Amino acid sequence: MNGTFRLNGRQVAFEPGQTILDAAISLQVQIPTLCHLAGTTPTGTCGVCVVEVKGLQETQPACATPIREGMEVWTDTPKVRLDRQAAIRRLLLSGHHNCFVNDLDVDRWTDFQLETLRRPWHGTLCPSYGDCRLQDLAVAYGVRTQGHVPRPPAHIPLDDQHPMFVRDFSRCIGCGRCVKACNEVQVQGALAAAVPETGGGKGKTWFPAADYDKCVHCGECVQACPVGALFEKKSYGKAWPYETERIRTTCPYCGVGCQQWLHVKEGRIVRVTGVDGAQPNQGRLCVKGRFGYEFIYSEERLKTPLIRNGTGFREASWDEALDLVAGRFQEILRAHGPDAVAGVSCARSINEDSYQMQKFFRAVIGTNNIDHCART
Amino acid sequence: MTNSFAHFSQAKLFLVIGSNMTEAHPVAATFVKQAVKKGARLIVVDPRKTGIAEHATIHLPLRVGTDVALLNALMHVLIQEGLYDREYVERRTEGFEDLERKVREYPPERAAGICGIDAQTIREVARLLASVKPAMLIYTLGITEHTCGVNNVLSCANLQMLLGNVGFQCGGVNPLRGQNNVQGACDMGALPNVYPGYQRVDVPEIRKKFESFWGTSLPSRPGLTIPEMLDGLVDGTVRGFYVFGENLANTEPHIRHVERCLQAAEFLVCQDIFPTETTRFAHVVFPAAAWSETDGTFTNSERRVSRVRAASRPPGSAMPNWWIFKELARRFGHRWDSDSARDIWDREIRLLAPQLAGITYARLEHDGLQWPVPREDHPGTPYLHKDGLFVRGLGRFHAVDWTPPAESPDEEYPFVLSTGRRLYHYHTRTQTGRCGGLDELLPEETADISPADAQSLGIQDGDRVRVRSRRGEVVVRARVTSQVPRGLVWMAFHFRNGNANWLTNPVFDPVTKTAEYKACAVRIDKVSEDGGGVEAA
Ligand code: SF4
Ligand code: SF4
Ligand code: SF4
């Protein structure tokens, strides 16, 4: 049984159990979010999605407020904007967010920068510079920090023991998205939720430390982190997000066929992420899909045709190598017939390559001796 | 797969059999785990307590290679207790009487003696299976890599048809394909008996169609499978051998035998992106463009054709594979017009394979399309045999018997070796071994054994052990884990050193020629620290 409520003055229907945010998303009314991770239960920590509800003094988090019959909700009022600004400012001041949006007074800015740059993995600007949800929101809401004092916590753990990523909690805003990604999306349970669940961001001493016995290094947490707290070691310092172009492709490993974004700078992949909302993976990747890309840049790649020369090989031109293969196969065909030639195609390569190879064997050599490892 | 990955997160009941999903298909496993978290029930059938088994409602640790016995017993109970879907069986299937007669020979008490799962549990699982509709059956190589692989697959299909689960969202029979494009390579006809689109080479009308399209005459006799090709190299029936992208010298069972075969090739061409154990035997090596260096398409397990796009240039003078074949054809006097992967798809493949007729590159932006796509206005097919209307008319039951693996443990070789894949590497590591971090996460092969066996053999976790079969031996470190049951040794084939395929048995399913990677007999002994690092004796 569906009821109705008013959203920005419009009478609209809702389904029982829907939150204000759920309804707004399905009605395509924009409410900004930060800690919300699609498809997971809300944490309600960031205070960015607040809206006004008629009859209530305080603004309410849209992600955690269920709709009631007849409710009247306003998503963009001066009070809402002020509260969002305050929430964003609190987060900006809560850690080492040393990018341009933190427009502290000049002296304080210098001290803050110096303190920040002393930490490991802080040799430069925040690695998420240009691809940070907090930065975007600060710009969108015109948040200023002038006249305020940044208050990074006194003891900030930094975990860089892991081969794949760094957990730099000096920029953690306690949003809990990484926890949701690990526990509810990957269902791996390697990250401990803040206790209590809500309030992780407020007055926080909580950091989402990883239990590496349970971690499968999928990097879903890194992809979910909206700021520069979790980042990949391999990509660190390789490119700023705004320098890369994104190319969509399909993972080269298993038969799930996950959709990936290749982040490419000057013809080189610097990072791989899952394509949100795409079939079949809905943004997810595993450790191989996310981190298994640089083999293509290995110095050991075969770069030129090779022809056997005693016990070793010598380099050859394409013409020479192709002529040799064609010539030798023709000799074998003449002497022993087409069924004396056989080929194995590749289950890793593209469809078009397998098509060409079976066509070559059938239409050119004249044999059906073509197979691939369909069986392994 | 008859169904889609998108159904995983909505399914209410899963039967996962012979599938180490969390390591071999990790993202697919996340959807199953999520569904279980939301209350779906999960039955896992696997000798090992795998990652997915940890999430199971019931885990059935059957003995290696006894799947048919277990499945027949489940069907025995379903029929005996009248729990199967009578209406579906009557209206949608044929061959039920044969099946009924066969599974009558498999009361749970008899199956229990074979598979090691007690009769009461078998009964309960059968009842659980009948209690939720539809249920999804998911399997992987634990089903196929046996000498009885085909019978295993048929049994899975029998069970799902008996339960009336084929032809519905969140149901079906769903093999997860091992490699990214193994589905596609099959679809493209890289098989000895069929052209693209599974059209048989020995049917004259079909052959005529391809002959006129390709403008040449074509052979009618089906060709050789990989194991037959390898044997042919030794007996001289195969003289020229062309290996594209496969590292046969590590992936095929019984490495020493495979290497003898490769050595015997009169002329071996390898086309690859790296030098491998296999290219060592080549007479000519062609350097190929890799993933992300060419445009093209892959087809995943759910029959989804997705785009692959180029991000960088191939190194040196490496070239796309399709170009190499085209250039070779030219040297035989064949002019092939298509000059890009897109051309090949749009102007050839889709005109030849009816299932792909409606797929063009232009339609493949975003999420691709799931075949069959018979026309350009067809939206694709998320699940097959809709409402139990089978493509072939009626779904056919196949009565099959359990047969034991070719090699059973004995006094000399008292353990069963079963093999598979681990999370952090892919196949022979030609790719993942060259990616920072992955080697750190899994630096070497191990032999996984149970705590009980470790204790009785005096082996501690991390000790070096010698694993020996009738074909070879390896020395690796032991990994003592409660994942593995007593009597089993479990290994993978990612590393040359300690590769399980020094040991595996080159015996094959008589129909598919799939090797029995999942079962052979071995012995395992502790070696002293200076026991020598032989890779094979
Ligand atoms: S890498 Fe994956 S498993 Fe590990 S903590 Fe992150 S989300 Fe969890
Ligand atoms: S590490 Fe990132 S995702 Fe996790 S709580 Fe902190 S800011 Fe949020
Ligand atoms: S990301 Fe992982 S699960 Fe997805 S296709 Fe690649 S290897 Fe398979």
Side-chain angles (χ1 to χ4, degrees):
Chain A
M1 202 198 58
N2 294 356
T4 59
F5 78 116
R6 293 185 87 82
L7 187 61
N8 294 336
R10 238 169 90 206
Q11 177 100 7
V12 287
F14 72 96
E15 288 160 30
Q18 266 193 322
T19 63
I20 297 173
L21 182 63
D22 292 336
I25 290 172
S26 62
L27 294 163
Q28 294 182 332
V29 170
Q30 297 288 330
I31 296 178
T33 59
L34 179 52
C35 68
H36 178 73
L37 184 66
T40 64
T41 54
T43 48
T45 58
C46 72
V48 168
C49 68
V50 290
V51 292
E52 256 193 278
V53 175
K54 193 172 171 198
L56 294 179
Q57 200 65 45
E58 307 265 318
T59 56
Q60 303 293 313
C63 69
T65 309
I67 303 170
R68 279 174 286 103
E69 179 65 42
M71 202 181 221
E72 208 170 296
V73 177
W74 298 88
T75 62
D76 199 12
T77 63
K79 185 171 166 61
V80 162
R81 295 186 73 86
L82 274 178
D83 280 6
R84 286 181 188 159
Q85 278 180 345
I88 295 162
R89 182 181 303 111
R90 173 178 62 77
L91 295 174
L92 269 181
L93 294 167
S94 73
H96 285 145
H97 300 286
N98 62 327
C99 71
F100 72 91
V101 293
N102 231 334
D103 64 336
L104 302 164
D105 307 322
V106 176
D107 284 355
R108 195 165 277 146
W109 170 244
T110 309
D111 292 346
F112 177 63
Q113 279 294 351
L114 289 175
E115 185 200 323
T116 303
L117 293 177
R118 262 201 304 275
R119 287 179 58 84
W121 299 96
H122 281 232
T124 173
L125 282 178
C126 169
S128 282
Y129 183 87
D131 182 24
C132 172
R133 182 81 186 129
L134 183 60
Q135 193 182 55
D136 292 347
L137 286 167
V139 173
Y141 281 84
V143 176
R144 315 284 312 257
T145 54
Q146 235 166 31
H148 294 270
V149 189
R151 274 185 223 88
H155 298 287
I156 312 166
L158 180 132
D159 172 3
D160 62 355
Q161 299 307 301
H162 185 275
M164 295 308 188
F165 19 79
V166 178
R167 296 175 189 278
D168 171 13
F169 298 118
S170 78
R171 293 195 181 98
C172 174
I173 57 171
C175 69
R177 278 170 61 107
C178 55
V179 179
K180 297 286 161 185
C182 186
N183 297 357
E184 294 184 22
V185 177
Q186 291 279 337
V187 200
Q188 210 53 45
L191 296 176
V195 205
E197 274 261 311
T198 50
K202 294 162 195 160
K204 71 186 156 91
T205 48
W206 166 77
F207 297 106
D211 174 353
Y212 284 119
D213 285 342
K214 292 189 184 148
C215 172
V216 291
H217 311 104
C218 65
E220 197 74 34
C221 51
V222 179
Q223 185 169 319
C225 182
V227 295
L230 307 185
F231 55 89
E232 295 177 13
K233 277 188 183 171
K234 284 199 221 189
S235 320
Y236 184 76
K238 294 253 173 73
W240 295 108
Y242 57 81
E243 297 174 315
T244 59
E245 114 187 77
R246 285 195 321 181
I247 296 175
R248 181 168 167 169
T249 197
T250 306
C251 174
Y253 290 105
C254 85
V256 180
C258 293
Q259 294 299 295
Q260 308 169 309
W261 288 121
L262 306 179
H263 301 247
V264 179
K265 180 185 175 187
E266 290 158 11
R268 227 181 143 88
I269 302 169
V270 294
R271 187 179 177 209
V272 175
T273 53
V275 179
D276 278 325
Q279 292 295 2
N281 53 318
Q282 294 175 22
R284 306 159 189 206
L285 293 176
C286 78
V287 61
K288 290 186 283 277
R290 195 181 302 279
F291 298 112
Y293 57 88
E294 339 90 287
F295 69 90
I296 52 174
Y297 305 123
S298 162
E299 269 313 303
E300 290 155 32
R301 280 289 296 277
L302 291 166
K303 298 189 184 105
T304 164
L306 301 173
I307 292 177
R308 174 156 299 281
N309 183 11
T311 55
F313 291 100
R314 66 175 172 82
E315 298 191 348
S317 70
W318 274 106
D319 275 334
E320 187 190 2
L322 287 163
D323 288 345
L324 176 67
V325 170
R328 292 286 283 126
F329 277 170
Q330 273 154 358
E331 280 167 31
I332 293 171
L333 291 183
R334 269 195 301 274
H336 306 281
D339 287 338
V341 179
V344 177
S345 187
C346 175
R348 313 295 312 285
S349 195
I350 55 175
N351 285 322
E352 293 79 359
D353 291 341
S354 269
Y355 172 83
Q356 290 284 92
M357 185 170 188
Q358 61 85 36
K359 181 179 173 186
F360 175 73
F361 270 76
R362 294 188 159 116
V364 177
I365 301 279
T367 178
N368 285 310
N369 287 343
I370 175 75
D371 199 6
H372 74 285
C373 65
R375 305 166 183 87
T376 53
Chain B
M1 283 167 59
T2 58
N3 288 59
S4 296
F5 288 117
H7 299 166
F8 284 18
S9 45
Q10 299 151 31
K12 298 281 176 282
L13 175 63
F14 298 94
L15 175 61
V16 173
I17 175 161
S19 178
N20 178 15
M21 294 181 85
T22 55
E23 296 198 72
H25 300 90
V27 168
T30 65
F31 293 112
V32 174
K33 293 189 284 182
Q34 262 187 322
V36 171
K37 228 181 158 196
K38 283 191 302 193
R41 253 96 53 95
L42 169 64
I43 303 164
V44 173
V45 179
D46 200 299
R48 294 189 305 147
K49 192 162 175 65
T50 53
I52 195 70
E54 311 233 347
H55 296 259
T57 322
I58 304 181
H59 171 216
L60 304 177
L62 84 177
R63 290 195 191 109
V64 172
T66 61
D67 307 75
V68 171
L70 174 67
L71 292 165
N72 275 353
L74 289 171
M75 291 187 273
H76 177 105
V77 177
L78 290 171
I79 294 175
Q80 192 190 39
E81 301 190 1
L83 298 173
Y84 69 100
D85 189 332
R86 260 172 225 275
E87 199 193 318
Y88 184 97
V89 167
E90 267 163 34
R91 297 181 45 195
R92 305 281 177 230
T93 68
E94 60 188 12
F96 175 71
E97 294 69 29
D98 290 347
L99 179 80
E100 188 182 18
R101 217 169 304 123
K102 181 53 65 191
V103 302
R104 209 177 292 146
E105 299 164 22
Y106 289 83
E109 284 69 21
R110 175 180 170 220
I114 299 171
C115 69
I117 306 296
D118 68 86
Q120 190 49 33
T121 308
I122 294 177
R123 287 206 169 78
E124 277 163 22
V125 169
R127 289 171 199 144
L128 174 57
L129 279 170
S131 69
V132 181
K133 274 193 83 158
M136 283 193 106
L137 186 146
I138 299 170
Y139 74 81
T140 311
L141 300 172
I143 280 295
T144 49
E145 286 182 353
H146 287 286
T147 42
C148 58
V150 166
N151 289 348
N152 284 347
V153 171
L154 292 173
S155 294
C156 290
N158 286 343
L159 177 67
Q160 281 295 69
M161 288 195 297
L162 191 64
L163 288 163
N165 281 337
V166 180
F168 305 97
Q169 217 162 322
C170 304
V173 180
N174 301 286
L176 304 180
R177 308 306 307 255
Q179 308 184 55
N180 58 321
N181 204 36
V182 76
Q183 180 73 50
C186 291
D187 300 349
M188 291 302 113
L191 292 169
N193 57 340
V194 290
Y195 297 119
Y198 304 94
Q199 303 173 85
R200 292 175 52 165
V201 299
D202 52 3
V203 174
E205 305 83 76
I206 291 174
R207 192 165 59 249
K208 210 159 291 154
K209 168 172 120 177
F210 280 86
E211 285 179 335
S212 79
F213 196 91
W214 288 336
T216 180
S217 67
L218 294 171
S220 58
R221 193 152 51 99
L224 304 175
T225 60
I226 293 176
E228 292 162 344
M229 292 176 189
L230 289 171
D231 291 340
L233 291 170
V234 177
D235 67 24
T237 49
V238 176
R239 292 170 179 263
F241 194 33
Y242 197 135
V243 180
F244 163 26
E246 299 286 341
N247 190 5
L248 299 174
N250 275 13
T251 57
E252 298 301 297
H254 192 4
I255 291 178
R256 277 199 289 167
H257 168 71
V258 175
E259 294 195 340
R260 265 201 303 274
C261 298
L262 292 172
Q263 186 79 58
E266 186 176 314
F267 188 64
L268 174 64
V269 182
C270 286
Q271 180 166 314
D272 213 311
I273 62 173
F274 286 110
T276 66
E277 285 80 3
T278 307
T279 61
R280 290 181 298 151
F281 299 93
H283 297 90
V284 175
V285 181
F286 290 138
W291 164 83
S292 87
E293 292 168 352
T294 49
D295 288 312
T297 55
F298 288 156
T299 307
N300 76 352
S301 304
E302 53 173 5
R303 299 164 279 104
R304 185 185 299 279
V305 181
S306 298
R307 278 296 313 275
V308 182
R309 292 185 177 80
S312 38
R313 295 174 48 78
S317 61
M319 290 300 283
N321 296 289
W322 58 262
W323 178 91
I324 301 173
F325 295 119
K326 176 180 156 123
E327 281 298 306
L328 273 177
R330 189 162 67 82
R331 284 165 170 78
F332 284 76
H334 291 248
R335 305 241 158 228
W336 292 355
D337 290 336
S338 299
D339 205 32
S340 65
R342 185 183 191 126
D343 268 3
I344 294 168
W345 185 282
D346 282 350
R347 295 168 46 183
E348 300 191 41
I349 295 168
R350 77 184 201 90
L351 303 180
L352 289 167
Q355 305 88 323
L356 309 174
I359 303 181
T360 61
Y361 263 45
R363 290 190 72 196
L364 286 181
E365 295 300 313
H366 309 296
D367 287 349
L369 286 164
Q370 286 173 281
W371 67 255
V373 188
R375 298 175 313 276
E376 268 191 70
D377 59 356
H378 189 284
T381 309
Y383 58 101
L384 299 176
H385 317 302
K386 191 164 193 289
D387 301 324
L389 300 173
F390 288 88
V391 178
R392 61 180 296 274
L394 295 175
R396 172 146 201 98
F397 286 110
H398 294 266
V400 294
D401 258 314
W402 169 72
T403 49
E407 203 176 63
S408 299
D410 54 23
E411 224 159 85
E412 204 187 342
Y413 298 98
F415 286 87
V416 175
L417 171 73
S418 198
T419 72
R421 292 154 170 81
R422 299 187 196 269
L423 176 62
Y424 296 111
H425 280 301
Y426 198 83
H427 278 205
T428 63
R429 279 172 61 256
T430 45
Q431 298 179 3
T432 50
R434 293 180 170 97
C435 292
L438 294 175
D439 258 356
E440 271 178 73
L441 292 170
L442 180 69
E444 62 179 334
E445 187 52 78
T446 57
D448 298 2
I449 54 171
S450 69
D453 288 329
Q455 200 183 11
S456 63
L457 294 167
I459 295 169
Q460 310 252 319
D461 189 71
D463 279 354
R464 282 153 58 82
V465 292
R466 172 174 288 117
V467 187
R468 190 184 318 163
S469 78
R470 290 185 173 82
R471 292 153 295 276
E473 66 175 53
V474 296
V475 174
V476 291
R477 287 189 196 283
R479 182 168 158 259
V480 179
T481 164
S482 52
Q483 273 203 331
V484 175
R486 249 195 128 118
L488 187 73
V489 178
W490 195 88
M491 295 180 68
F493 62 98
H494 301 309
F495 295 83
R496 175 76 175 176
N497 274 321
N499 191 310
N501 285 328
W502 293 105
L503 312 168
T504 44
N505 195 4
V507 288
F508 305 93
D509 181 280
V511 180
T512 62
K513 306 292 176 193
T514 301
E516 190 148 65
Y517 289 101
K518 297 300 185 204
C520 73
V522 296
R523 61 175 300 121
I524 179 164
D525 299 288
K526 187 172 166 166
V527 293
S528 59
E529 270 307 311
D530 54 2
V534 283
E535 62 173 23

